[in-house]
Amino acid sequence: MSKNLIKLQSVFELLFISDYGYGVRHIQMLCMTLNLIALFIVRSSLGVAILAMTDMKRRNDPDISVYEWDKRTQGVILSSFFWGYIVMQIPGGLLAKRYGGKPIVLFALLSNAVICVSLPNLVHFGGWQIVCACRVLMGMTQACIVPSTHTLLGKWLPVHEMTSYSGIVYGGIQIGIIVAMPLSGVLAETKMGWKLIFYVISGILVVTACIWVFLGASSPGDHRLINKEEKEYIESGLNVASGKALKTPWKEIFTTKGFWALLFTHIGSVIGFALFFVDMPTYLEKGLQISLKNSALLSALPYVGMLVGGVASTNVSEKLFKKGYLSLIACRKLSNSIGFMGMALGLIILSFIGPENRIIAMIALIVALTSSGFWGAGFLMNYLDLSPNYGGLMLSITNCISNVGSVITPIFTSIILRNDPADISRWRIVFLITAGFSILSNTVFLLFATSERQEWDDPDYLEKRKADPEELKPALKPDTTS
């Protein structure tokens, strides 16, 4: 180890190590948060960018290219990200499991930077079809990010730190959206217009990739700056198998009732999130008749609530469990219910509000998305309850299937709106249908979810079962938290 690296490690130990309070794992969590921020800036910017790309008010501006894409074409463009996202979900999860999270996430950051910087020139030659192709590629390369993050969390965080720090890391999703929407709105108003959105985002991705290269790692054992004491502290508190190639128990995963409860719940969450994520700028500008710049700013506001809801719920949930006030499954179901029922309430209120009640509409939007932040302590953590070793893989499977909803939702919304996003009565149909999905999803989770760690999470489960099925029985201790 070089003298400079030893000095740098000493600085980190001095600043961050105190009875295992703060350490290199916190630097890792910060890097993972920055990754999510950067990639969700990419993902969420198009909702505003497409409004600027089709803004007829600037069609006489010689510096701006404006395209006559109707609402259905815009719906196809907005959904195209999820075409690639779905295709690569399971392969992305398997790649992260095999090669570690660091190289997979690094590839996502750099490839998206290249696509963003190229898109403004490509669209001039290929029209909306080339935008779709670029978004498909973005979706394919970003498919790994959530499974990789789950895998990294399982390798870096002791069990007693998992819920609270996971809430902070996944808060990067909301921060990315909060930054992207007003930033995109401001950049769209400049002389360069919507093109500047993609150039600036490309720069953000490159900077984030550099930080990830120098300060991130796939596991504590791979990090250059971690000391022996913190490494042992982390690994002694992990639930995952260390240094062992795991054979995936596919049959057992697909025959677990809790897995199917998670799948159905995940579908409901994706439909609700996709509606706000993709169509909120359009709803604010056309439905509530708020200007493009202001609608971009206001679109970000509910995600501030979602961030607060996510961080608060994960920390409160962990404290309720640690102090013995609620069992683990009770914490999960309580958080999940607040998330889904709060979203349903907000959507129902929105269904009966028009542009004359903009303030009430914004409050309803904030209630809906603040509530959805509680998913972070609900079904999203339940994957790691069932299986710390295969939680990331299970999430990639359910994310793959549920994100069909991300593809369908923008198209379905555009069909209902009939190319007239100013018609509030048609938004009412969209909101009420989505509210129904939210209520149904939570009901399934309440009925069938469990927090019991599954027997097949044992790395030696398949071998033990083949050798002697009776050998498994002593290991099957009931989960007192359930």
Side-chain angles (χ1 to χ4, degrees):
M1 188 180 291
S2 68
K3 291 182 179 180
N4 289 335
L5 192 57
I6 293 173
K7 288 180 181 178
L8 186 58
Q9 181 175 349
S10 300
V11 171
F12 273 108
E13 290 177 12
L14 180 64
L15 291 175
F16 297 105
I17 305 296
S18 176
D19 296 326
Y20 304 116
Y22 292 96
V24 172
R25 69 190 185 284
H26 296 89
I27 301 296
Q28 175 76 14
M29 295 305 108
L30 177 60
C31 290
M32 290 164 61
T33 305
L34 291 174
N35 294 338
L36 285 170
I37 290 171
L39 289 169
F40 268 81
I41 287 175
V42 178
R43 196 182 300 194
S44 54
S45 61
L46 193 65
V48 176
I50 200 166
L51 292 174
M53 294 170 80
T54 57
D55 186 4
M56 290 298 115
K57 296 174 184 176
R58 300 191 70 175
R59 60 186 169 186
N60 295 322
D61 189 331
D63 298 316
I64 305 295
S65 299
V66 178
Y67 303 93
E68 296 183 6
W69 299 333
D70 61 21
K71 178 59 183 171
R72 290 194 180 186
T73 301
Q74 293 176 39
V76 172
I77 294 171
L78 291 169
S79 71
S80 60
F81 174 92
F82 298 101
W83 306 348
Y85 192 73
I86 291 170
V87 169
M88 285 301 294
Q89 269 299 306
I90 295 176
L94 292 171
L95 288 170
K97 184 169 168 286
R98 181 169 182 178
Y99 296 107
K102 181 174 180 177
I104 306 301
V105 174
L106 180 61
F107 178 76
L109 291 166
L110 293 176
S111 59
N112 276 262
V114 172
I115 295 168
C116 282
V117 80
S118 305
L119 192 147
N121 292 318
L122 292 174
V123 68
H124 179 70
F125 299 101
W128 69 267
Q129 292 91 341
I130 201 69
V131 180
C132 284
C134 289
R135 293 290 289 181
V136 169
L137 289 174
M138 288 179 181
M140 292 178 71
T141 53
Q142 285 198 37
C144 65
I145 187 63
V146 174
S148 293
T149 300
H150 246 51
T151 299
L152 288 165
L153 288 170
K155 290 185 176 182
W156 272 94
L157 290 178
V159 176
H160 60 277
E161 294 181 353
M162 180 68 71
T163 302
S164 57
Y165 284 118
S166 295
I168 295 170
V169 170
Y170 279 114
I173 293 175
Q174 289 84 49
I175 295 173
I177 300 169
I178 291 165
V179 171
M181 290 189 172
L183 176 64
S184 299
V186 171
L187 295 175
E189 296 288 329
T190 63
K191 185 177 180 180
M192 288 184 67
W194 59 266
K195 292 182 180 181
L196 191 58
I197 296 173
F198 295 101
Y199 295 144
V200 169
I201 290 173
S202 181
I204 292 172
L205 288 165
V206 171
V207 171
T208 306
C210 291
I211 295 171
W212 183 236
V213 166
F214 290 107
L215 295 178
S218 292
S219 67
D222 296 330
H223 207 291
R224 295 176 297 171
L225 302 174
I226 198 167
N227 63 23
K228 182 180 177 182
E229 289 76 16
E230 187 185 7
K231 179 175 175 289
E232 290 177 352
Y233 165 73
I234 294 170
E235 292 179 346
S236 66
L238 296 180
N239 255 341
V240 298
S242 178
K244 180 179 177 68
L246 302 180
K247 188 175 181 181
T248 305
W250 292 106
K251 179 182 176 182
E252 286 73 15
I253 289 174
F254 284 109
T255 53
T256 299
K257 181 174 65 176
F259 170 77
W260 290 99
L262 283 171
L263 173 59
F264 199 91
T265 308
H266 202 151
I267 291 171
S269 73
V270 165
I271 290 172
F273 186 74
L275 174 65
F276 288 109
F277 185 72
V278 174
D279 286 305
M280 192 190 301
T282 301
Y283 170 68
L284 292 176
E285 186 189 23
K286 306 296 184 183
L288 296 183
Q289 299 172 17
I290 299 171
S291 69
L292 174 60
K293 184 176 181 179
N294 289 333
S295 69
L297 290 167
L298 291 173
S299 292
L301 191 57
Y303 291 101
V304 176
M306 190 176 183
L307 173 63
V308 172
V311 174
S313 66
T314 50
N315 281 276
V316 171
S317 180
E318 189 168 274
K319 285 181 171 58
L320 289 173
F321 172 62
K322 282 182 177 179
K323 292 183 179 295
Y325 296 134
L326 291 174
S327 66
L328 185 57
I329 191 60
C331 289
R332 299 291 185 243
K333 290 182 176 180
L334 175 62
S335 297
N336 216 64
S337 296
I338 294 172
F340 278 99
M341 301 309 290
M343 172 168 275
L345 175 63
L347 286 165
I348 291 169
I349 294 172
L350 280 175
S351 301
F352 299 98
I353 288 177
E356 66 279 1
N357 299 114
R358 292 187 185 95
I359 295 176
I360 298 175
M362 285 306 305
I363 292 172
L365 284 168
I366 293 170
V367 167
L369 282 176
T370 300
S371 300
S372 70
F374 282 71
W375 294 339
F379 80 93
L380 284 173
M381 281 294 99
N382 195 225
Y383 290 93
L384 294 173
D385 298 334
L386 296 181
S387 174
N389 283 308
Y390 302 102
L393 178 60
M394 288 197 298
L395 181 58
S396 71
I397 296 169
T398 61
N399 218 18
C400 172
I401 298 170
S402 62
N403 268 283
V404 173
S406 298
V407 175
I408 294 172
T409 299
I411 299 172
F412 178 74
T413 301
S414 66
I415 291 171
I416 292 178
L417 294 177
R418 292 183 182 175
N419 222 25
D420 184 13
D423 188 343
I424 292 297
S425 65
R426 298 202 166 276
W427 281 108
R428 181 179 302 130
I429 297 171
V430 174
F431 292 148
L432 289 176
I433 291 173
T434 308
F437 271 110
S438 294
I439 295 169
L440 183 60
S441 299
N442 188 60
T443 302
V444 171
F445 189 81
L446 290 176
L447 292 175
F448 301 110
T450 177
S451 64
E452 183 177 351
R453 185 174 178 181
Q454 300 301 294
E455 60 178 344
W456 44 261
D457 186 61
D458 183 346
D460 299 315
Y461 172 78
L462 294 176
E463 287 75 11
K464 288 179 180 177
R465 190 183 63 178
K466 288 179 182 178
D468 183 6
E470 293 297 317
E471 189 179 345
L472 292 170
K473 290 187 177 179
L476 302 181
K477 297 177 182 178
D479 186 347
T480 57
T481 64
S482 300

